[in-house]
Amino acid sequence: MLLETNDLTIGYRTASGALRAVEGVNLAIPEGEIVGLVGESGCGKTTLARSLIGVMAGNASIERGEIRFQGRDLVSSGARYWKDRRWRDIAYIPQSAMNSLDPVYRVGDQLLEVLIRRGGMDRAKAKRRAAELFELVGIEANRLRDFPHEFSGGMRQRAAIALALALDPKLVIADEPVTALDVIVQRQILDTLDDLQKRLGISVLLVTHDISVVAYVCDRVAVMYAGKLVEEGSVDTVLGSPVHPYSMGLMNAFPDLGRASRTLVPIEGAPPDLHDPPAGCRFAPRCPFVVDACSEPPAIESVDETHRAACWRIGEAEALRKDASEVTTWQT
Amino acid sequence: MADVKPLVEVRGLAKHYERRGNPFVRRRGASDVVRAVDGVDLTIRRGEGVGLVGESGCGKTTTGRLLLNLIEPTGGQIVYDGEDLSTMNTTQVKEFRKRAQLVFQNPFDALNPRFTLYRSLVEPLANAGVPEDEHETRILRALERVHLRDAERLLDKFPHQVSGGQLQRIVLARALVLDPEFIVADEPVSMLDVSVRAGILNVLREAKQDLGLTAVYISHDLALVRYVCERTVVMYLGRVMEDGPTEDVVERPAHPYTKALVAAVPTPDPQQEHVALPILPGRPDATAVPSGCPFRDRCPEAHARCAEEVPAAHEIAPGHVVHCHLFES
Ligand SMILES: Nc1ncnc2c1ncn2[C@@H]1O[C@H](COP(=O)(O)OP(=O)(O)OP(=O)(O)O)[C@@H](O)[C@H]1O
Ligand SMILES: Nc1ncnc2c1ncn2[C@@H]1O[C@H](COP(=O)(O)OP(=O)(O)O)[C@@H](O)[C@H]1O
Ligand code: SF4
Ligand SMILES: [Mg+2]
Ligand SMILES: [Mg+2]
C-alpha cells in the first residue's frame, strides 16, 4: 500500500465546542491507482485529504491514528519529515485550486518558485521543467508568461495540476478538481488526470461528490458519511453492488443521463451535526433498514478480500438493495 | 399541437452588455460588447417543461431573466400570452409578475436573511394584494406541494438555521404561493447535495404535472434536464444550437456542439466508454463571437460556409430544430 491511514481521527476546536470531522478512518491508497473519496458536503473529505499532507487548519488536530506512507507513519515521524514529503512525495491540489494561484504573479513564476525553492533546480533547468509540465497538462508553454486571470477556469485547474506534479510526487491528492467546471472542461481535466496517472504511474486520491466522476476515472472508491468511512472497494463492486444503505441511497439518488426513465430516490433527512453525532450508526436517523443493533456503532468489516463496509446488515445487502430502489422505502 | 396557442413566443431576442472592464485585462481580439444573448427564437407551449442547457456564460440566465421581464432586451421581442412584454402597461406588468415566477439558484439570494421563513412566504402574497385571510391556506398548500416536513416548526426560523434542502423547498414554495402559470428555475439544485437534490427534482416534476405549470429549467447538467424536461434547448454563445424533444436531443444529438456536450457527460456506470470528445480546443468568449456559426472555431465539421453565414433553423424531425449548415436539405 502506498498510503494507509489507521484509525485516523481529526478534531476541530470551534466556538460551539469540539467537533470530530474524521473519526476512525482506515483508508488505503494502493500504488498506481486512482481512489475516489465521495460523500456529501461536510462529511470530512477535505479534512481527511488535507491531513494527509500534514497541512491543516489552525484549529484542527489529529487526535489519534496513523498515516502510513510507504510503511512509515507520518504522524509520529515529526513535522520535519512530513514537510519533506510534501510536493516531493505527496502533492495536494486544494479545493478551489482554480482560485489558489496568486493573482499578482505570472503562472510560470509560481511554477519556477516550487521547482527552484523546493526542488533545488537551477533556473535554466527549472524553466525547461516548467515548459515540460505545461505540455504535460495540455497548456502551451508560451502561456507560462500569463497571469492567472488570463487563464480560463479549466486552464487554471490544469496549471494547478502542473504545480502538483512539479517534483514528481508518488501521490497526488486532488480535492474536487472538476466541481466548478463545465462538463466539456471537466471531461478534459479528468482525461488529463487519467492519462497522467497511467503515464507516470502515480497514485491519485480524487475527492468528489459526483459518483459519475468516480465511475469515469477511479479504480477504487471510499464512501464517507458524517466523518466515518462507511464503504470501500473497487469501483465496480461499490457502484455496482453497494452493501451500505448510504451507498445504495447515493446510487439511487443520482440522475443518470443514460437511464432517463428511472425515478430518483431521495435520501430523506440530513446528515447529523458533527458536534453531536448519533451514538450508534451515524446513518441510522436516515436509514430505512435500521434495527436494534444499529444503536451501537458498526465496525468496518470485510465483505470480501477487497471490499469493506460498516453496517450491521451487510449480510442482507442483496435484499436491501432491492428495497432501497423504491422511493417509499425511504419515506418512513 | 399546432392549434394550441403558445404561452411564450420569442423572436430574435438579444441582450448585449457594454463592457467597462480594465483594458489591461482584456483578451486579444475581444471587443467592448458582451453578446450575452444574440438572436434567440423560442416557442414555449402551455404546460411544457423546457430545459435550457449549455456551458457557463452561454446566456442561459440572461435568457431566463429576459423571459421574466426582469431586464430589458437589446433587441427582439417576447410575446407572453398574446401580449408583447415591452409594451405592457403597469397594471399588466403587475399581473404578469403574479403569473410568472423566478426560482433562484442560490436560496440565500432569494430569501432575506433577516426574515423568518414565514415572513418570506407571506411577502409575495401581501405584495400581490392577496387578502390576509387567504394567506395561511395559500402558504400551507404551497408547503404541501414541496413536501416540507415539519413545516410548522420550521417557519419561525431564519434561513441560516435550516438545511440547504429545506431552504430550497421554501424557495420553491415561495415561487408557487401565488399559483403562477409560468416559472423559470435557474439551476434550482446546483447548490444541493445529491441525496437532497433528488427530492427537489421530484417536487419540480410533480408540481409541473399537478399544476399544469409551464416551466423553463436552466441548468448545465443535461442529466437533470433530462429528468424534468420534455424539451431541451441547447445554447452556445448566446444562440440556440439545437431545440427538440429531450429524448431526441440526448439520444440522437444532431448539432456538432450537442454531440460533444452529450458525449462529455460521465455516467455512474464504471464500464462507460472513454471516447475522444468531438470538439476542438478553445473556449467560448461572448466578447469575440466568431462570424457565421458561433461554434465554428471549435467544430470538427466546420467548412467555408460556416464562417460566412449564420446557419438557419433546419427542422430535421417534427419539433426538432438544428441551427447548422450540415442540415441544409
Ligand atoms: N450585467 C451584466 N453585465 C455585463 N455582462 C454580463 C451581465 N450579465 C451577464 N453578462 C455576460 O453575459 C454572458 C452570459 O451570461 P449568463 O449569466 O446569461 O450565462 P449563463 O449561461 O447563465 O452562465 P452560468 O452557467 O455560468 O450561469 C456572459 O459572458 C456574462 O459574463
Ligand atoms: N476550520 C474548521 N473549523 C471548524 N470546523 C471545520 C473546519 N473545517 C471544516 N470544519 C467542519 O468539519 C466538517 C467536515 O468538513 P470538510 O472536511 O470540509 O468536509 P467536506 O470536504 O466533505 O465537505 C464539517 O462539519 C465542517 O463544518
Ligand atoms: S448499521 Fe443499521 S442504521 Fe446503519 S446503515 Fe446499517 S442498517 Fe442502517
Ligand atoms: Mg471539501
Ligand atoms: Mg447562470
Side-chain angles (χ1 to χ4, degrees):
Chain A
M1 231 17 97
L2 181 64
L3 183 141
E4 210 167 357
T5 73
N6 272 320
D7 195 29
L8 185 62
T9 301
I10 302 165
Y12 288 107
R13 291 177 305 281
T14 74
S16 40
L19 164 160
R20 269 204 196 105
V22 170
E23 189 156 328
V25 166
N26 300 341
L27 176 74
I29 305 175
E31 205 124 355
E33 292 197 1
I34 305 188
V35 178
L37 181 62
V38 294
E40 54 205 295
S41 119
C43 73
K45 304 182 296 296
T46 296
T47 305
L48 176 59
R50 286 187 61 178
S51 76
L52 304 182
I53 51 157
V55 176
M56 296 191 294
N59 59 333
S61 60
I62 295 183
E63 294 178 5
R64 53 169 212 269
E66 294 180 320
I67 300 172
R68 294 194 161 272
F69 183 74
Q70 295 184 315
R72 178 161 170 182
D73 178 29
L74 298 173
V75 180
S76 57
S77 289
R80 172 86 224 204
Y81 182 79
W82 207 341
K83 190 168 174 224
D84 286 344
R85 305 277 75 68
R86 229 171 282 153
W87 296 97
R88 225 173 269 289
D89 284 333
I90 310 178
Y92 181 62
I93 306 173
Q95 189 162 359
S96 74
M98 257 166 55
N99 309 314
S100 72
L101 297 167
D102 192 326
V104 299
Y105 294 104
R106 294 178 196 278
V107 181
D109 289 346
Q110 300 184 46
L111 202 44
L112 289 179
E113 154 105 15
V114 171
L115 293 166
I116 295 168
R117 281 267 189 91
R118 291 283 192 156
M121 290 182 195
D122 62 44
R123 206 169 168 81
K125 186 157 181 240
K127 278 191 158 171
R128 280 198 303 277
R129 174 75 180 145
E132 194 182 292
L133 284 163
F134 256 42
E135 305 270 314
L136 201 60
V137 299
I139 311 177
E140 287 181 35
N142 63 14
R143 304 299 298 266
L144 280 162
R145 293 186 52 75
D146 284 14
F147 288 95
H149 72 252
E150 295 175 90
F151 277 11
S152 67
M155 287 168 79
R156 268 179 265 166
Q157 196 65 57
R158 285 173 193 272
I161 296 173
L163 207 56
L165 294 175
L167 304 185
D168 274 327
K170 299 186 180 66
L171 170 63
V172 171
I173 297 163
D175 195 351
E176 309 253 12
V178 296
T179 300
L181 302 173
D182 275 309
V183 285
I184 288 178
V185 185
Q186 165 178 332
R187 168 61 178 277
Q188 289 162 342
I189 299 289
L190 290 176
D191 285 344
T192 302
L193 265 180
D194 194 32
D195 174 59
L196 289 171
Q197 186 274 325
K198 291 202 174 77
R199 272 160 62 192
L200 309 174
I202 53 175
S203 302
V204 178
L205 179 69
L206 185 88
V207 179
T208 174
H209 57 265
D210 188 337
I211 289 165
S212 299
V213 166
V214 169
Y216 186 69
V217 286
C218 296
D219 303 298
R220 296 184 65 77
V221 58
V223 183
M224 277 184 87
Y225 185 77
K228 295 210 175 191
L229 197 67
V230 295
E231 183 159 4
E232 209 241 279
S234 75
V235 166
D236 286 350
T237 341
V238 176
L239 302 195
S241 345
V243 302
H244 195 286
Y246 177 62
S247 317
M248 296 174 196
L250 274 186
M251 291 306 294
N252 292 328
F254 207 86
D256 177 353
L257 187 62
R259 295 167 60 207
S261 53
R262 188 181 56 117
T263 299
L264 298 183
V265 182
I267 304 178
E268 300 289 343
D273 178 1
L274 292 177
H275 282 103
D276 182 26
C281 172
R282 295 197 168 171
F283 190 55
R286 298 172 84 185
C287 182
F289 306 124
V290 61
V291 289
D292 287 347
C294 308
S295 57
E296 294 290 321
I300 191 147
E301 279 177 42
S302 292
V303 179
D304 60 48
E305 269 153 54
T306 62
H307 185 190
R308 299 178 302 146
C311 165
W312 290 112
R313 303 188 67 180
I314 288 178
E316 303 157 77
E318 205 174 323
L320 301 191
R321 271 202 295 276
K322 207 178 225 166
D323 287 348
S325 64
E326 303 291 333
V327 175
T328 47
T329 302
W330 299 80
Q331 285 174 338
T332 44
Chain B
M1 280 300 223
D3 51 317
V4 184
K5 204 174 69 175
L7 181 65
V8 190
E9 187 100 50
V10 174
R11 290 293 157 254
L13 188 64
K15 179 71 186 177
H16 295 175
Y17 290 104
E18 280 299 324
R19 216 163 65 133
R20 287 177 299 266
N22 176 351
F24 297 106
V25 185
R26 190 162 301 163
R27 293 182 50 212
R28 304 146 199 134
S31 80
D32 281 331
V33 181
V34 181
R35 286 153 63 167
V37 173
D38 204 22
V40 163
D41 293 344
L42 197 60
T43 302
I44 304 172
R45 284 181 288 273
R46 277 178 198 281
E48 203 174 27
V50 177
L52 269 191
V53 299
E55 283 165 277
S56 178
C58 71
K60 306 182 293 296
T61 296
T62 308
T63 304
R65 301 183 76 85
L66 288 165
L67 289 175
L68 289 177
N69 204 7
L70 297 172
I71 51 177
E72 256 185 55
T74 314
Q77 187 190 39
I78 302 172
V79 176
Y80 184 92
D81 199 13
E83 289 291 335
D84 188 327
L85 284 188
S86 64
T87 59
M88 280 185 181
N89 62 36
T90 26
T91 332
Q92 286 173 310
V93 168
K94 207 162 171 215
E95 189 54 31
F96 173 75
R97 295 246 178 279
K98 286 188 220 167
R99 296 167 68 186
Q101 293 291 326
L102 175 68
V103 179
F104 286 86
Q105 162 173 16
N106 183 347
F108 290 97
D109 291 344
L111 302 177
N112 186 325
R114 288 182 302 273
F115 286 4
T116 63
L117 300 178
Y118 185 76
R119 183 154 171 213
S120 286
L121 288 169
V122 167
E123 204 193 21
L125 291 169
N127 288 348
V130 175
E132 219 166 291
D133 57 350
E134 279 182 37
H135 289 186
E136 194 172 327
T137 27
R138 290 263 208 143
I139 289 176
L140 289 178
R141 200 167 56 201
L143 289 175
E144 214 162 290
R145 291 241 171 271
V146 300
H147 302 300
L148 185 70
R149 299 163 143 219
D150 268 348
E152 262 134 80
R153 193 176 58 79
L154 292 172
L155 289 180
D156 292 332
K157 296 195 185 287
F158 293 91
H160 69 272
Q161 294 174 315
V162 304
S163 76
Q166 290 168 329
L167 208 55
Q168 194 56 290
R169 283 175 206 258
I170 295 279
V171 170
L172 272 175
R174 188 173 192 264
L176 296 178
V177 80
L178 287 172
D179 291 326
E181 60 185 357
F182 180 53
I183 63 168
V184 174
D186 193 355
E187 307 266 9
V189 296
S190 69
M191 312 284 285
L192 302 174
D193 270 308
V194 184
S195 67
V196 177
R197 203 182 272 193
I200 304 282
L201 292 176
N202 288 342
V203 165
L204 286 171
R205 252 189 173 183
E206 260 178 56
K208 212 189 119 268
Q209 250 157 37
D210 299 354
L211 306 174
L213 274 180
T214 307
V216 170
Y217 297 102
I218 295 174
S219 176
H220 59 272
D221 185 344
L222 257 178
L224 185 160
V225 161
R226 183 170 198 186
Y227 191 65
V228 283
C229 301
E230 50 279 40
R231 212 171 107 212
T232 295
V233 175
V234 181
M235 289 182 70
Y236 187 83
L237 279 179
R239 283 178 192 269
V240 173
M241 300 290 104
E242 184 160 356
D243 175 348
T246 301
E247 226 31 49
D248 293 351
V249 172
V250 172
E251 293 291 340
R252 293 168 289 281
H255 195 284
Y257 176 61
T258 317
K259 284 185 180 163
L261 204 59
V262 171
V265 179
T267 75
D269 173 12
Q271 253 69 56
Q272 69 198 281
E273 279 179 72
H274 288 213
V275 291
L277 281 189
I279 192 167
L280 305 181
R283 63 165 158 150
D285 179 353
T287 63
V289 180
S291 64
C293 172
F295 183 58
R296 66 159 162 94
D297 59 347
R298 297 178 73 196
C299 180
E301 312 208 44
H303 45 284
R305 187 158 172 215
C306 306
E308 290 153 15
E309 227 180 297
V310 175
H314 302 292
E315 188 162 38
I316 57 167
H320 188 170
V321 167
V322 183
H323 294 251
C324 167
H325 290 308
L326 295 173
F327 294 85
E328 191 86 20
S329 45

